[in-house]
Amino acid sequence: MLLDQDLASGAVLVLCFSIGLAITLVAVGVAASLSLRAVEKRSTWLSTVAARAPYFSGVLIVLVGLYTAWHGWSGQQAQLPRAAAMLLSPSPG
């Protein structure tokens, strides 16, 4: 019985958290959209920056991906001699 109550209360907590997160994200999105409209009316350079933002974001994502790949590759290369030594060493017993 106690397990069923824990499961039900856990499910309710996850549901409430998800609803709260959704409301928060929608509210932040609406606020950002309204503030962006207000700022665009006052300045012209923001629309230029906003038009170029996807290119900057794409370059940033590629750079992070290359760094992550390099980091993983160098980690694998550092582990390779130790793994080879473990495979070639005689097992005790």
Side-chain angles (χ1 to χ4, degrees):
M1 282 297 204
L2 188 59
L3 183 61
D4 292 336
Q5 290 174 350
D6 289 343
L7 182 65
S9 64
V12 169
L13 286 174
V14 169
L15 178 68
C16 291
F17 174 79
S18 299
I19 291 171
L21 182 62
I23 290 170
T24 302
L25 290 176
V26 168
V28 167
V30 168
S33 175
L34 293 176
S35 64
L36 185 63
R37 284 186 194 169
V39 171
E40 279 183 342
K41 290 179 184 177
R42 296 182 189 156
S43 66
T44 57
W45 64 271
L46 187 61
S47 60
T48 305
V49 171
R52 294 181 183 160
Y55 300 112
F56 175 72
S57 176
V59 168
L60 184 64
I61 288 172
V62 168
L63 289 175
V64 168
L66 289 173
Y67 171 75
T68 303
W70 174 78
H71 193 65
W73 179 259
S74 63
Q76 289 295 323
Q77 295 302 316
Q79 296 289 332
L80 192 59
R82 191 171 74 181
M86 288 174 59
L87 289 174
L88 298 176
S89 67
S91 62

CSV table of all heavy atoms in Angstrom, one decimal, residues 28-83:
chain,number,residue,atom,x,y,z
A,28,VAL,N,7.9,33.3,-20.2
A,28,VAL,CA,9.2,33.9,-20.6
A,28,VAL,C,9.2,34.2,-22.1
A,28,VAL,O,9.7,35.2,-22.6
A,28,VAL,CB,10.4,33.0,-20.2
A,28,VAL,CG1,11.7,33.4,-20.8
A,28,VAL,CG2,10.5,33.0,-18.7
A,29,GLY,N,8.7,33.3,-22.9
A,29,GLY,CA,8.7,33.5,-24.3
A,29,GLY,C,7.8,34.7,-24.7
A,29,GLY,O,8.2,35.5,-25.6
A,30,VAL,N,6.6,34.8,-24.1
A,30,VAL,CA,5.8,36.0,-24.4
A,30,VAL,C,6.4,37.3,-24.0
A,30,VAL,O,6.4,38.2,-24.7
A,30,VAL,CB,4.4,35.8,-23.7
A,30,VAL,CG1,3.6,37.0,-23.7
A,30,VAL,CG2,3.6,34.6,-24.3
A,31,ALA,N,7.0,37.3,-22.8
A,31,ALA,CA,7.7,38.5,-22.4
A,31,ALA,C,8.9,38.8,-23.3
A,31,ALA,O,9.1,40.0,-23.6
A,31,ALA,CB,8.2,38.3,-20.9
A,32,ALA,N,9.6,37.9,-23.7
A,32,ALA,CA,10.7,38.1,-24.7
A,32,ALA,C,10.2,38.7,-26.0
A,32,ALA,O,10.8,39.6,-26.6
A,32,ALA,CB,11.6,36.9,-24.9
A,33,SER,N,9.1,38.1,-26.5
A,33,SER,CA,8.6,38.6,-27.7
A,33,SER,C,8.1,40.0,-27.6
A,33,SER,O,8.3,40.8,-28.5
A,33,SER,CB,7.4,37.6,-28.1
A,33,SER,OG,6.8,38.1,-29.3
A,34,LEU,N,7.4,40.3,-26.6
A,34,LEU,CA,6.8,41.7,-26.4
A,34,LEU,C,8.0,42.7,-26.2
A,34,LEU,O,7.9,43.8,-26.8
A,34,LEU,CB,5.9,41.7,-25.2
A,34,LEU,CG,4.6,40.9,-25.4
A,34,LEU,CD1,3.7,41.0,-24.2
A,34,LEU,CD2,3.8,41.5,-26.6
A,35,SER,N,9.0,42.3,-25.4
A,35,SER,CA,10.1,43.3,-25.2
A,35,SER,C,10.9,43.4,-26.5
A,35,SER,O,11.4,44.5,-26.8
A,35,SER,CB,11.0,42.8,-24.1
A,35,SER,OG,11.6,41.6,-24.4
A,36,LEU,N,11.0,42.4,-27.3
A,36,LEU,CA,11.7,42.5,-28.6
A,36,LEU,C,11.0,43.5,-29.5
A,36,LEU,O,11.6,44.3,-30.2
A,36,LEU,CB,11.9,41.1,-29.2
A,36,LEU,CG,12.7,41.1,-30.5
A,36,LEU,CD1,14.2,41.5,-30.2
A,36,LEU,CD2,12.7,39.7,-31.1
A,37,ARG,N,9.7,43.4,-29.6
A,37,ARG,CA,8.9,44.3,-30.4
A,37,ARG,C,9.1,45.8,-30.0
A,37,ARG,O,9.3,46.7,-30.8
A,37,ARG,CB,7.5,44.0,-30.4
A,37,ARG,CG,7.1,42.8,-31.2
A,37,ARG,CD,5.6,42.6,-31.2
A,37,ARG,NE,5.2,41.3,-31.6
A,37,ARG,CZ,4.0,40.8,-31.5
A,37,ARG,NH1,3.1,41.5,-31.0
A,37,ARG,NH2,3.8,39.6,-32.0
A,38,ALA,N,9.1,46.0,-28.7
A,38,ALA,CA,9.3,47.3,-28.1
A,38,ALA,C,10.7,47.9,-28.4
A,38,ALA,O,10.9,49.0,-28.8
A,38,ALA,CB,9.1,47.4,-26.6
A,39,VAL,N,11.7,47.0,-28.3
A,39,VAL,CA,13.1,47.5,-28.6
A,39,VAL,C,13.3,47.7,-30.1
A,39,VAL,O,14.0,48.6,-30.5
A,39,VAL,CB,14.1,46.5,-28.0
A,39,VAL,CG1,15.5,46.8,-28.5
A,39,VAL,CG2,14.0,46.4,-26.5
A,40,GLU,N,12.7,46.9,-31.0
A,40,GLU,CA,12.9,47.0,-32.4
A,40,GLU,C,12.3,48.3,-32.9
A,40,GLU,O,12.8,48.9,-33.9
A,40,GLU,CB,12.2,45.8,-33.2
A,40,GLU,CG,13.1,44.6,-33.2
A,40,GLU,CD,12.4,43.5,-34.0
A,40,GLU,OE1,11.2,43.5,-34.2
A,40,GLU,OE2,13.2,42.6,-34.4
A,41,LYS,N,11.3,48.8,-32.2
A,41,LYS,CA,10.7,50.1,-32.6
A,41,LYS,C,11.7,51.3,-32.4
A,41,LYS,O,11.6,52.3,-33.1
A,41,LYS,CB,9.4,50.4,-31.9
A,41,LYS,CG,8.3,49.5,-32.3
A,41,LYS,CD,7.0,49.7,-31.5
A,41,LYS,CE,5.9,48.8,-31.9
A,41,LYS,NZ,4.7,49.0,-31.1
A,42,ARG,N,12.5,51.1,-31.4
A,42,ARG,CA,13.4,52.2,-31.0
A,42,ARG,C,14.8,52.1,-31.7
A,42,ARG,O,15.5,53.1,-31.7
A,42,ARG,CB,13.6,52.2,-29.5
A,42,ARG,CG,12.3,52.5,-28.8
A,42,ARG,CD,12.6,52.5,-27.3
A,42,ARG,NE,11.3,52.6,-26.6
A,42,ARG,CZ,11.0,52.2,-25.4
A,42,ARG,NH1,12.0,51.7,-24.7
A,42,ARG,NH2,9.8,52.3,-24.9
A,43,SER,N,15.2,50.9,-32.1
A,43,SER,CA,16.6,50.8,-32.7
A,43,SER,C,16.5,50.0,-33.9
A,43,SER,O,15.7,49.1,-34.1
A,43,SER,CB,17.5,50.2,-31.7
A,43,SER,OG,17.1,48.9,-31.4
A,44,THR,N,17.4,50.3,-34.9
A,44,THR,CA,17.4,49.6,-36.1
A,44,THR,C,18.5,48.5,-36.2
A,44,THR,O,18.4,47.6,-36.9
A,44,THR,CB,17.7,50.6,-37.3
A,44,THR,OG1,18.9,51.3,-37.0
A,44,THR,CG2,16.6,51.6,-37.4
A,45,TRP,N,19.5,48.6,-35.3
A,45,TRP,CA,20.6,47.7,-35.4
A,45,TRP,C,20.2,46.3,-34.8
A,45,TRP,O,20.8,45.3,-35.2
A,45,TRP,CB,21.8,48.2,-34.6
A,45,TRP,CG,21.6,48.4,-33.1
A,45,TRP,CD1,21.1,49.5,-32.5
A,45,TRP,CD2,21.8,47.5,-32.1
A,45,TRP,NE1,21.0,49.4,-31.2
A,45,TRP,CE2,21.4,48.1,-30.9
A,45,TRP,CE3,22.2,46.2,-32.1
A,45,TRP,CZ2,21.4,47.4,-29.7
A,45,TRP,CZ3,22.2,45.5,-30.8
A,45,TRP,CH2,21.9,46.1,-29.7
A,46,LEU,N,19.2,46.3,-34.0
A,46,LEU,CA,18.8,45.0,-33.4
A,46,LEU,C,18.3,44.0,-34.5
A,46,LEU,O,18.5,42.8,-34.4
A,46,LEU,CB,17.7,45.2,-32.3
A,46,LEU,CG,17.3,44.0,-31.5
A,46,LEU,CD1,18.6,43.5,-30.8
A,46,LEU,CD2,16.3,44.3,-30.5
A,47,SER,N,17.6,44.6,-35.5
A,47,SER,CA,17.1,43.7,-36.5
A,47,SER,C,18.2,43.1,-37.3
A,47,SER,O,18.2,41.9,-37.8
A,47,SER,CB,16.1,44.4,-37.4
A,47,SER,OG,16.7,45.5,-38.0
A,48,THR,N,19.3,43.9,-37.5
A,48,THR,CA,20.5,43.4,-38.2
A,48,THR,C,21.1,42.3,-37.4
A,48,THR,O,21.5,41.2,-38.0
A,48,THR,CB,21.5,44.5,-38.4
A,48,THR,OG1,20.8,45.6,-39.1
A,48,THR,CG2,22.7,44.0,-39.3
A,49,VAL,N,21.3,42.5,-36.1
A,49,VAL,CA,21.9,41.5,-35.2
A,49,VAL,C,21.0,40.2,-35.2
A,49,VAL,O,21.5,39.1,-35.3
A,49,VAL,CB,22.1,42.0,-33.8
A,49,VAL,CG1,22.5,40.9,-32.8
A,49,VAL,CG2,23.1,43.1,-33.8
A,50,ALA,N,19.7,40.4,-35.1
A,50,ALA,CA,18.8,39.3,-35.1
A,50,ALA,C,18.8,38.5,-36.4
A,50,ALA,O,18.6,37.2,-36.4
A,50,ALA,CB,17.3,39.7,-34.8
A,51,ALA,N,19.0,39.1,-37.5
A,51,ALA,CA,19.1,38.4,-38.8
A,51,ALA,C,20.4,37.6,-38.9
A,51,ALA,O,20.4,36.6,-39.6
A,51,ALA,CB,19.0,39.4,-39.9
A,52,ARG,N,21.4,38.0,-38.2
A,52,ARG,CA,22.7,37.3,-38.3
A,52,ARG,C,22.9,36.3,-37.1
A,52,ARG,O,23.8,35.5,-37.1
A,52,ARG,CB,23.9,38.3,-38.3
A,52,ARG,CG,23.9,39.1,-39.5
A,52,ARG,CD,25.0,40.1,-39.5
A,52,ARG,NE,25.0,40.9,-40.7
A,52,ARG,CZ,25.6,42.1,-40.8
A,52,ARG,NH1,26.3,42.5,-39.8
A,52,ARG,NH2,25.5,42.8,-41.9
A,53,ALA,N,22.0,36.3,-36.2
A,53,ALA,CA,22.1,35.4,-35.0
A,53,ALA,C,22.1,33.9,-35.4
A,53,ALA,O,22.9,33.2,-34.8
A,53,ALA,CB,21.0,35.7,-34.0
A,54,PRO,N,21.3,33.5,-36.3
A,54,PRO,CA,21.3,32.0,-36.7
A,54,PRO,C,22.7,31.6,-37.2
A,54,PRO,O,23.1,30.5,-36.9
A,54,PRO,CB,20.3,31.8,-37.7
A,54,PRO,CG,19.3,33.0,-37.5
A,54,PRO,CD,20.2,34.1,-37.0
A,55,TYR,N,23.4,32.4,-37.9
A,55,TYR,CA,24.7,32.1,-38.4
A,55,TYR,C,25.7,32.0,-37.3
A,55,TYR,O,26.5,31.0,-37.2
A,55,TYR,CB,25.2,33.1,-39.4
A,55,TYR,CG,24.3,33.2,-40.6
A,55,TYR,CD1,23.6,34.4,-40.9
A,55,TYR,CD2,24.2,32.2,-41.5
A,55,TYR,CE1,22.8,34.5,-41.9
A,55,TYR,CE2,23.4,32.3,-42.6
A,55,TYR,CZ,22.7,33.4,-42.8
A,55,TYR,OH,21.8,33.5,-43.9
A,56,PHE,N,25.7,32.9,-36.3
A,56,PHE,CA,26.5,32.9,-35.2
A,56,PHE,C,26.2,31.6,-34.3
A,56,PHE,O,27.1,30.9,-33.9
A,56,PHE,CB,26.3,34.1,-34.3
A,56,PHE,CG,27.1,34.1,-33.0
A,56,PHE,CD1,28.4,34.2,-33.0
A,56,PHE,CD2,26.4,33.9,-31.8
A,56,PHE,CE1,29.1,34.2,-31.8
A,56,PHE,CE2,27.1,33.8,-30.6
A,56,PHE,CZ,28.5,34.0,-30.6
A,57,SER,N,24.9,31.3,-34.2
A,57,SER,CA,24.6,30.1,-33.4
A,57,SER,C,25.1,28.8,-34.1
A,57,SER,O,25.5,27.9,-33.4
A,57,SER,CB,23.0,30.1,-33.3
A,57,SER,OG,22.6,28.9,-32.6
A,58,GLY,N,24.9,28.8,-35.4
A,58,GLY,CA,25.4,27.6,-36.1
A,58,GLY,C,26.9,27.4,-36.0
A,58,GLY,O,27.4,26.3,-35.8
A,59,VAL,N,27.7,28.5,-36.1
A,59,VAL,CA,29.1,28.4,-36.0
A,59,VAL,C,29.5,28.0,-34.5
A,59,VAL,O,30.4,27.2,-34.3
A,59,VAL,CB,29.8,29.8,-36.3
A,59,VAL,CG1,31.2,29.8,-35.9
A,59,VAL,CG2,29.7,30.0,-37.8
A,60,LEU,N,28.8,28.5,-33.6
A,60,LEU,CA,29.0,28.2,-32.2
A,60,LEU,C,28.8,26.7,-31.9
A,60,LEU,O,29.6,26.0,-31.3
A,60,LEU,CB,28.2,29.1,-31.2
A,60,LEU,CG,28.4,28.9,-29.8
A,60,LEU,CD1,29.9,29.3,-29.4
A,60,LEU,CD2,27.4,29.7,-29.0
A,61,ILE,N,27.7,26.2,-32.5
A,61,ILE,CA,27.4,24.8,-32.3
A,61,ILE,C,28.4,23.9,-32.9
A,61,ILE,O,28.8,22.9,-32.4
A,61,ILE,CB,25.9,24.5,-32.8
A,61,ILE,CG1,24.9,25.1,-31.9
A,61,ILE,CG2,25.7,23.0,-33.0
A,61,ILE,CD1,23.5,25.1,-32.4
A,62,VAL,N,28.9,24.3,-34.1
A,62,VAL,CA,29.9,23.5,-34.8
A,62,VAL,C,31.2,23.5,-34.0
A,62,VAL,O,31.8,22.5,-33.8
A,62,VAL,CB,30.1,24.0,-36.2
A,62,VAL,CG1,31.4,23.4,-36.8
A,62,VAL,CG2,28.9,23.7,-37.1
A,63,LEU,N,31.6,24.7,-33.5
A,63,LEU,CA,32.8,24.7,-32.7
A,63,LEU,C,32.7,23.9,-31.4
A,63,LEU,O,33.6,23.2,-31.0
A,63,LEU,CB,33.1,26.2,-32.3
A,63,LEU,CG,33.6,27.1,-33.5
A,63,LEU,CD1,33.7,28.5,-33.0
A,63,LEU,CD2,34.9,26.5,-34.0
A,64,VAL,N,31.5,23.9,-30.7
A,64,VAL,CA,31.3,23.1,-29.5
A,64,VAL,C,31.4,21.6,-29.9
A,64,VAL,O,32.0,20.8,-29.2
A,64,VAL,CB,30.0,23.5,-28.8
A,64,VAL,CG1,29.7,22.4,-27.7
A,64,VAL,CG2,30.1,24.9,-28.2
A,65,GLY,N,30.8,21.3,-31.0
A,65,GLY,CA,30.8,19.9,-31.5
A,65,GLY,C,32.2,19.4,-31.8
A,65,GLY,O,32.6,18.3,-31.4
A,66,LEU,N,33.0,20.3,-32.4
A,66,LEU,CA,34.4,19.9,-32.7
A,66,LEU,C,35.2,19.8,-31.5
A,66,LEU,O,36.1,18.9,-31.3
A,66,LEU,CB,35.1,21.0,-33.7
A,66,LEU,CG,34.5,21.0,-35.1
A,66,LEU,CD1,35.1,22.2,-35.9
A,66,LEU,CD2,34.9,19.7,-35.8
A,67,TYR,N,35.0,20.7,-30.5
A,67,TYR,CA,35.7,20.6,-29.2
A,67,TYR,C,35.4,19.3,-28.5
A,67,TYR,O,36.2,18.6,-27.9
A,67,TYR,CB,35.4,21.8,-28.3
A,67,TYR,CG,36.0,21.6,-26.9
A,67,TYR,CD1,37.3,21.7,-26.7
A,67,TYR,CD2,35.1,21.3,-25.9
A,67,TYR,CE1,37.8,21.6,-25.4
A,67,TYR,CE2,35.6,21.1,-24.6
A,67,TYR,CZ,37.0,21.3,-24.4
A,67,TYR,OH,37.5,21.1,-23.1
A,68,THR,N,34.1,19.0,-28.5
A,68,THR,CA,33.6,17.7,-27.8
A,68,THR,C,34.2,16.5,-28.5
A,68,THR,O,34.7,15.6,-27.8
A,68,THR,CB,32.1,17.7,-27.8
A,68,THR,OG1,31.6,18.9,-27.2
A,68,THR,CG2,31.6,16.5,-27.1
A,69,ALA,N,34.3,16.5,-29.8
A,69,ALA,CA,34.8,15.4,-30.5
A,69,ALA,C,36.3,15.3,-30.2
A,69,ALA,O,36.9,14.2,-30.0
A,69,ALA,CB,34.6,15.5,-32.0
A,70,TRP,N,37.0,16.4,-30.2
A,70,TRP,CA,38.5,16.4,-29.9
A,70,TRP,C,38.7,15.9,-28.5
A,70,TRP,O,39.6,15.1,-28.3
A,70,TRP,CB,39.1,17.8,-30.1
A,70,TRP,CG,40.5,17.8,-29.7
A,70,TRP,CD1,41.6,17.4,-30.4
A,70,TRP,CD2,41.0,18.3,-28.5
A,70,TRP,NE1,42.7,17.6,-29.6
A,70,TRP,CE2,42.4,18.2,-28.5
A,70,TRP,CE3,40.4,18.9,-27.4
A,70,TRP,CZ2,43.2,18.6,-27.4
A,70,TRP,CZ3,41.2,19.3,-26.3
A,70,TRP,CH2,42.5,19.2,-26.3
A,71,HIS,N,37.9,16.4,-27.6
A,71,HIS,CA,38.1,16.0,-26.2
A,71,HIS,C,37.8,14.5,-26.0
A,71,HIS,O,38.6,13.8,-25.3
A,71,HIS,CB,37.1,16.8,-25.3
A,71,HIS,CG,37.4,16.7,-23.9
A,71,HIS,ND1,38.5,17.2,-23.3
A,71,HIS,CD2,36.6,16.2,-22.9
A,71,HIS,CE1,38.5,17.0,-22.0
A,71,HIS,NE2,37.3,16.3,-21.7
A,72,GLY,N,36.8,14.0,-26.7
A,72,GLY,CA,36.5,12.5,-26.6
A,72,GLY,C,37.6,11.7,-27.2
A,72,GLY,O,38.1,10.7,-26.7
A,73,TRP,N,38.1,12.2,-28.4
A,73,TRP,CA,39.2,11.5,-29.1
A,73,TRP,C,40.5,11.4,-28.3
A,73,TRP,O,41.1,10.4,-28.2
A,73,TRP,CB,39.4,12.1,-30.4
A,73,TRP,CG,40.5,11.5,-31.2
A,73,TRP,CD1,41.8,11.9,-31.3
A,73,TRP,CD2,40.5,10.2,-31.9
A,73,TRP,NE1,42.5,11.0,-32.1
A,73,TRP,CE2,41.8,10.0,-32.5
A,73,TRP,CE3,39.5,9.3,-32.2
A,73,TRP,CZ2,42.0,8.9,-33.3
A,73,TRP,CZ3,39.7,8.2,-33.0
A,73,TRP,CH2,41.0,8.0,-33.5
A,74,SER,N,40.8,12.6,-27.7
A,74,SER,CA,42.1,12.6,-26.9
A,74,SER,C,41.9,11.7,-25.6
A,74,SER,O,42.9,11.1,-25.2
A,74,SER,CB,42.4,14.0,-26.5
A,74,SER,OG,41.5,14.6,-25.7
A,75,GLY,N,40.7,11.7,-25.1
A,75,GLY,CA,40.5,10.8,-23.9
A,75,GLY,C,40.6,9.3,-24.3
A,75,GLY,O,41.1,8.5,-23.5
A,76,GLN,N,40.1,9.0,-25.5
A,76,GLN,CA,40.2,7.6,-25.9
A,76,GLN,C,41.6,7.2,-26.2
A,76,GLN,O,42.1,6.1,-25.9
A,76,GLN,CB,39.4,7.4,-27.2
A,76,GLN,CG,37.9,7.4,-27.0
A,76,GLN,CD,37.4,6.2,-26.1
A,76,GLN,OE1,37.9,5.1,-26.2
A,76,GLN,NE2,36.5,6.5,-25.2
A,77,GLN,N,42.4,8.1,-26.8
A,77,GLN,CA,43.8,7.9,-27.1
A,77,GLN,C,44.6,7.7,-25.8
A,77,GLN,O,45.5,6.9,-25.7
A,77,GLN,CB,44.4,9.0,-27.9
A,77,GLN,CG,43.8,9.1,-29.3
A,77,GLN,CD,43.9,7.8,-30.1
A,77,GLN,OE1,45.0,7.1,-30.1
A,77,GLN,NE2,42.8,7.4,-30.7
A,78,ALA,N,44.3,8.4,-24.7
A,78,ALA,CA,44.9,8.3,-23.4
A,78,ALA,C,44.6,7.0,-22.8
A,78,ALA,O,45.5,6.4,-22.1
A,78,ALA,CB,44.6,9.5,-22.5
A,79,GLN,N,43.4,6.5,-23.0
A,79,GLN,CA,43.0,5.2,-22.4
A,79,GLN,C,43.5,4.0,-23.2
A,79,GLN,O,43.6,2.9,-22.6
A,79,GLN,CB,41.5,5.1,-22.3
A,79,GLN,CG,40.9,6.1,-21.4
A,79,GLN,CD,41.1,5.9,-20.0
A,79,GLN,OE1,41.3,4.7,-19.6
A,79,GLN,NE2,41.1,6.9,-19.2
A,80,LEU,N,43.9,4.2,-24.4
A,80,LEU,CA,44.3,3.1,-25.3
A,80,LEU,C,45.5,2.3,-24.8
A,80,LEU,O,45.4,1.0,-24.7
A,80,LEU,CB,44.5,3.6,-26.7
A,80,LEU,CG,44.7,2.5,-27.8
A,80,LEU,CD1,43.4,1.7,-27.9
A,80,LEU,CD2,44.9,3.2,-29.1
A,81,PRO,N,46.6,2.9,-24.4
A,81,PRO,CA,47.7,2.1,-23.9
A,81,PRO,C,47.4,1.3,-22.6
A,81,PRO,O,47.8,0.1,-22.5
A,81,PRO,CB,48.8,3.1,-23.6
A,81,PRO,CG,48.4,4.3,-24.4
A,81,PRO,CD,47.0,4.3,-24.5
A,82,ARG,N,46.6,1.9,-21.7
A,82,ARG,CA,46.2,1.2,-20.5
A,82,ARG,C,45.3,0.0,-20.8
A,82,ARG,O,45.4,-1.1,-20.3
A,82,ARG,CB,45.5,2.1,-19.5
A,82,ARG,CG,45.3,1.5,-18.2
A,82,ARG,CD,44.9,2.5,-17.2
A,82,ARG,NE,43.5,2.8,-17.4
A,82,ARG,CZ,42.7,3.7,-16.7
A,82,ARG,NH1,43.3,4.3,-15.8
A,82,ARG,NH2,41.5,3.9,-17.0
A,83,ALA,N,44.3,0.2,-21.8
A,83,ALA,CA,43.4,-0.9,-22.1
A,83,ALA,C,44.2,-2.0,-22.8
A,83,ALA,O,43.9,-3.2,-22.6
A,83,ALA,CB,42.4,-0.4,-23.1
